[in-house]
Amino acid sequence: MNSNLQNQYVSKLRAFSEILSIFIILISILFLMGWAFNIEILKTPGSDFSTIKSNTAFSFLLIGIIIWILQEKRVNSRNILIARILSLIILLIGSFTLFEYISGINLGIDQILFMEPHGAFQTGALNRMSLVAVSSFLLISISLLTIDKKEKGNFHIFQLLIILVGLVSFLIVLGYFYQTTIYPILNTTAPSLYGSVMLFIIFLAIIASRPDKGFMKILTSKGVAGVFARRIIPSIIIIPLILGWLRLLGEHMGLYDAEFGTAITIFFTILILAILVWLSIVSIDNIDVKRFQAEENIKRQAELINLTHDAIFVRNMDDEITFWNKGSEETYGWSQEEALGKVTHKLLHAEYPKPLDEIQEDVLNYGQWDGELIHKKRNGDIITVLSRWSLQKYENGKPLGFLEVNTDITKRKEAQNKFKELVDELRRSNYELQQFTFITSHDLQEPLRNIASFSQLLERRYKGKLDSSADEYIDFIVDGAMRMKEMIQGLLEYSLVGKGENFQPTDVNETIDIVLSNLKRLIDENEAEITHERLPTVTADSRQLVQIFQNLIGNAIKFKRPETQPKINISAHLDTKKKEYIFSVSDNGIGIEKQYSTQIFDIFKRLHTIDEYRGIGIGLAICKRIVERHGGKIWVKSEYGLGSTFYFTIPINHLNS
């Protein structure tokens, strides 16, 4: 993503990381003071909690110092060396402790700083840090050693490692939050509450220290991806956390049983995700509107480029003006009487791309020259002109002078700059769509898959065991989750139309064969009769051409009249005037009312309820985008109750047969 998409979030996150590093240092010192002066509250929040071990507190102190000196404003060779040394110390502490766990050999490092009395709560070996802390310190040390390694892609190694630390620490904190007892495993020390919270804070500090790298670059951008990520990721984390806590609270208070709690939690999760999906759809629609406006602006700028007037004048070999036309008067502001006899480069304060003598030498040798010059008008305005020089000769071939034709391209230059800005805007919009697709496919579909899977599991396990209302609610949840999954997949497919394959000669007859093969089961089940004439070869994206015909033929079968065999005909003819092929797909189905003939191409537009006809209403919208990508258009003619004919065009070019 371009740097101009970064915003104030970058500086704020860096400041946040620095504050957290100082906090980590101060809290670590308090932990060590708790051990030095035997202050229990500084070691554990209560007798029912395991203590934070002294080696753990010491490692936290080193980590806080490393994060502080690795803030980008402090990065230099000396600080990098110090950070690496401290990271290696943390790595050694974690490695030695892990060796103690694996081998059962006590190396004596656990109590090297402070002694812990016997009988410590949930402690496998006196003052020995938990396995969670050991593995976390190993990951953190490697993360800090690789934090400034140059990498490409959306995820850097240090981010992946520290995310693992964040997930594990967050899971443990959740256990404490939901009052779930965490027992030691295989006589190991249990993770402490203080230590788990500190690990999560360290995760935040490290991830925020490099807000312009990897996936953080997306999160801090001004684009759709950044806005979408900042909107949905906190919701995905916070909403289930709150709903889960409320669910457990209600169960403990006896307000409802576990099954009802699960159902209501899933329902509200779906509702919130549905709202977020809708907001994302609106964002995509706004991007499309902006793209259309940008394209219209480009067309208007192109019209300005053609509105130019040429200045034509002749000068002799001494560079004195001998002819000055009306276009020159309009361009520069001097009348013919004022300009005649003047030296050109002095009158116009000309700036040349190379020395004037060299340009004149080129004209004498080759007869002509062209390039861009900078001139000053009578009113002091600076303009850029496209200048074309031609050598004028006497009849005997000797040089007479120079004919100079200058076109004021100042507006053209401005238009080109605006054009470049608009192109950059289009590229940025496309990039934002790609990032939105990435976020949607990874961050939004996964929870939906979980919702759908667990809802179906709930349906299979408890269907018929609860009252009829609960069964109905479960059906609503399952159906809603599946429909939302279809909507997201359709939305992804819609957004990826612009990333199709290169155009190449495509035999439409072979395309129809592929479509009929794909729809064979649907055709056989409905006994549909499909015919087509000999179809042409066009230059197109073959995969997207299959999508168009598959959507149109599939719809023709789906929207058939009751008790009527579907009959579908595909044809094409050449419009020589407009230089395009016009394809048609006709059917004898239920038809479309005239007032809906344009609305049906809108995204998620449906004319029937879900009970009448399955689908999400995105197929024709995808067809429209594909056709427009090919430079054509799509429309429908229909008589309600008697069938419909869909038309679309594919322009001809030199590759068409």
Side-chain angles (χ1 to χ4, degrees):
M1 189 175 296
N2 295 332
S3 59
N4 62 340
L5 288 181
Q6 302 303 307
N7 51 34
Q8 71 273 16
Y9 287 102
V10 172
S11 58
K12 288 183 178 179
L13 283 173
R14 285 174 178 160
F16 177 67
S17 174
E18 185 172 16
I19 292 171
L20 287 182
S21 68
I22 297 172
F23 177 82
I24 293 167
I25 293 171
L26 295 176
I27 296 300
S28 300
I29 293 173
L30 288 177
F31 290 154
L32 292 173
M33 289 176 61
W35 280 98
F37 300 105
N38 197 26
I39 304 173
E40 286 300 319
I41 191 62
L42 297 181
K43 296 189 293 182
T44 177
S47 59
D48 293 334
F49 295 84
S50 61
T51 58
I52 182 169
K53 307 308 179 186
S54 57
N55 280 1
T56 303
F58 177 72
S59 298
F60 285 157
L61 177 61
L62 297 184
I63 291 171
I65 295 172
I66 295 171
I67 296 173
W68 186 80
I69 65 176
L70 282 184
Q71 294 298 311
E72 289 197 333
K73 64 182 179 181
R74 296 189 185 90
V75 171
N76 54 50
S77 56
R78 181 179 64 88
N79 284 348
I80 290 175
L81 178 60
I82 295 173
R84 287 178 178 174
I85 293 172
L86 296 181
S87 297
L88 289 174
I89 293 174
I90 299 169
L91 184 63
L92 288 174
I93 293 173
S95 300
F96 286 149
T97 308
L98 182 61
F99 176 79
E100 288 182 325
Y101 272 117
I102 295 174
S103 66
I105 300 174
N106 190 342
L107 299 178
I109 66 169
D110 301 322
Q111 304 203 74
I112 195 171
L113 294 177
F114 300 100
M115 303 292 292
E116 184 175 41
H118 291 279
F121 184 75
Q122 291 187 341
T123 299
L126 294 180
N127 214 1
R128 181 175 296 174
M129 66 178 71
S130 68
L131 274 174
V132 170
V134 171
S135 57
S136 296
F137 287 146
L138 293 175
L139 293 174
I140 290 170
S141 60
I142 299 173
S143 175
L144 292 172
L145 287 170
T146 59
I147 193 169
D148 286 320
K149 180 181 178 182
K150 293 183 178 180
E151 296 179 73
K152 297 180 179 179
N154 289 324
F155 285 90
H156 289 203
I157 292 176
F158 86 92
Q159 291 177 331
L160 293 174
L161 295 177
I162 201 62
I163 285 173
L164 290 176
V165 175
L167 290 175
V168 172
S169 59
F170 184 67
L171 177 62
I172 297 172
V173 172
L174 278 182
Y176 281 106
F177 181 76
Y178 287 121
Q179 298 180 356
T180 300
T181 304
I182 301 177
Y183 292 99
I185 301 174
L186 299 177
N187 297 320
T188 62
T189 301
S192 67
L193 176 58
Y194 284 167
S196 300
V197 173
M198 286 291 286
L199 286 173
F200 189 76
I201 293 173
I202 288 171
F203 152 73
L204 294 176
I206 295 177
I207 216 74
S209 68
R210 297 297 183 271
D212 55 349
K213 289 187 176 182
F215 78 94
M216 290 296 293
K217 201 172 188 179
I218 300 173
L219 293 179
T220 57
S221 74
K222 288 182 180 178
V224 169
V227 173
F228 179 80
R230 291 191 294 273
R231 177 189 300 162
I232 195 170
I233 291 178
S235 300
I236 290 176
I237 296 172
I238 296 172
I239 297 301
L241 183 64
I242 295 174
L243 291 179
W245 181 78
L246 290 175
R247 170 197 166 185
L248 290 178
L249 181 63
E251 290 179 11
H252 291 160
M253 295 176 64
L255 298 178
Y256 43 76
D257 55 18
E259 290 78 11
F260 181 82
T262 301
I264 200 69
T265 301
I266 293 175
F267 171 78
F268 279 108
T269 304
I270 290 176
L271 177 63
I272 294 169
L273 288 176
I275 294 173
L276 292 175
V277 169
W278 175 249
L279 292 175
S280 301
I281 292 170
V282 173
S283 297
I284 288 183
D285 184 65
N286 290 336
I287 291 174
D288 281 338
V289 171
K290 290 180 180 178
R291 180 184 290 107
F292 176 79
Q293 292 173 344
E295 291 171 350
E296 290 299 312
N297 287 335
I298 290 173
K299 292 178 182 178
R300 286 194 290 270
Q301 296 298 331
E303 293 172 358
L304 289 175
I305 291 174
N306 294 325
L307 298 176
T308 59
H309 296 276
D310 290 343
I312 302 174
F313 54 88
V314 178
R315 47 193 173 81
N316 59 26
M317 298 305 295
D318 294 325
D319 205 25
E320 296 172 344
I321 297 172
T322 58
F323 175 79
W324 187 264
N325 76 333
K326 292 290 185 182
S328 300
E329 293 180 347
E330 296 175 359
T331 301
Y332 296 109
W334 285 283
S335 65
Q336 187 177 49
E337 291 77 11
E338 292 171 320
L340 291 178
K342 298 294 191 300
V343 177
T344 310
H345 63 270
K346 291 183 179 179
L347 177 69
L348 303 178
H349 298 277
E351 297 179 15
Y352 302 98
K354 61 182 181 178
L356 177 59
D357 292 341
E358 293 183 17
I359 296 177
Q360 292 180 336
E361 189 68 24
D362 288 342
V363 178
L364 292 173
N365 291 333
Y366 304 109
Q368 61 182 14
W369 176 88
D370 63 82
E372 292 184 5
L373 305 178
I374 305 297
H375 285 164
K376 180 183 286 188
K377 297 170 64 173
R378 182 174 185 174
N379 62 5
D381 291 345
I382 303 299
I383 62 172
T384 302
V385 297
L386 178 61
S387 187
R388 289 148 290 180
W389 296 12
S390 177
L391 181 63
Q392 304 298 300
K393 299 180 180 179
Y394 290 104
E395 292 182 358
N396 60 7
K398 290 184 178 181
L400 168 63
F402 303 96
L403 171 67
E404 186 170 334
V405 179
N406 291 336
T407 303
D408 184 354
I409 60 170
T410 305
K411 290 184 178 180
R412 183 188 303 177
K413 282 287 186 180
E414 293 174 354
Q416 287 174 346
N417 291 334
K418 291 181 180 179
F419 180 88
K420 184 178 181 301
E421 292 175 0
L422 292 170
V423 170
D424 289 342
E425 183 180 343
L426 287 173
R427 288 175 178 168
R428 185 177 68 181
S429 297
N430 287 331
Y431 181 83
E432 290 169 350
L433 280 175
Q434 293 173 16
Q435 294 306 308
F436 168 79
T437 302
F438 172 81
I439 295 291
T440 302
S441 61
H442 290 78
D443 294 342
L444 193 57
Q445 288 203 87
E446 183 61 28
L448 274 178
R449 279 194 290 267
N450 290 336
I451 291 171
S453 299
F454 283 106
S455 299
Q456 291 170 337
L457 180 62
L458 187 65
E459 181 182 35
R460 290 195 299 270
R461 182 168 296 180
Y462 296 104
K463 185 127 179 130
K465 298 180 181 180
L466 307 173
D467 58 30
S468 58
S469 296
D471 289 344
E472 185 179 8
Y473 296 156
I474 292 174
D475 290 338
F476 287 158
I477 293 172
V478 173
D479 186 63
M482 299 306 295
R483 286 189 61 204
M484 188 175 298
K485 182 178 179 182
E486 292 175 0
M487 289 177 69
I488 292 175
Q489 290 174 339
L491 188 62
L492 281 171
E493 188 175 353
Y494 180 81
S495 66
L496 291 173
V497 167
K499 293 180 61 179
E501 300 172 355
N502 294 331
F503 293 179
Q504 57 186 0
T506 302
D507 186 345
V508 183
N509 298 284
E510 295 178 0
T511 300
I512 297 300
D513 291 340
I514 295 172
V515 171
L516 297 182
S517 176
N518 294 342
L519 298 177
K520 185 177 187 306
R521 181 176 178 181
L522 180 65
I523 293 171
D524 293 343
E525 288 176 352
N526 292 273
E527 299 181 350
E529 178 184 314
I530 301 175
T531 59
H532 66 88
E533 306 168 358
R534 180 66 187 173
L535 301 171
T537 295
V538 298
T539 300
D541 181 330
S542 57
R543 184 183 63 83
Q544 291 188 342
L545 203 59
V546 168
Q547 282 184 280
I548 295 175
F549 281 108
Q550 191 159 309
N551 274 321
L552 295 180
I553 294 173
N555 282 349
I557 297 174
K558 179 166 67 173
F559 295 104
K560 67 176 183 177
R561 283 182 289 171
E563 309 301 328
T564 302
Q565 180 189 17
K567 293 185 178 181
I568 302 162
N569 179 258
I570 304 144
S571 63
H573 70 274
L574 175 63
D575 187 331
T576 55
K577 291 184 178 180
K578 294 184 178 180
K579 296 183 179 180
E580 62 185 12
Y581 282 105
I582 301 177
F583 292 88
S584 66
V585 179
S586 303
D587 63 61
N588 62 341
I590 62 175
I592 302 167
E593 295 182 58
K594 189 174 182 180
Q595 63 265 33
Y596 301 121
S597 60
T598 58
Q599 297 180 26
I600 58 173
F601 296 102
D602 294 338
I603 188 170
F604 295 128
K605 182 65 179 178
R606 294 178 51 85
L607 302 183
H608 306 276
T609 65
I610 192 67
D611 295 328
E612 293 177 297
Y613 295 98
R614 292 289 300 179
I616 59 174
I618 202 172
L620 290 178
I622 291 175
C623 289
K624 181 181 178 183
R625 286 201 69 184
I626 293 174
V627 171
E628 289 175 348
R629 178 177 178 244
H630 287 72
K633 59 182 180 178
I634 186 170
W635 69 97
V636 63
K637 292 183 179 179
S638 177
E639 187 172 347
Y640 187 69
L642 297 179
S644 306
T645 300
F646 284 84
Y647 299 90
F648 67 91
T649 62
I650 299 292
I652 301 173
N653 59 38
H654 65 283
L655 290 177
N656 287 124
S657 63

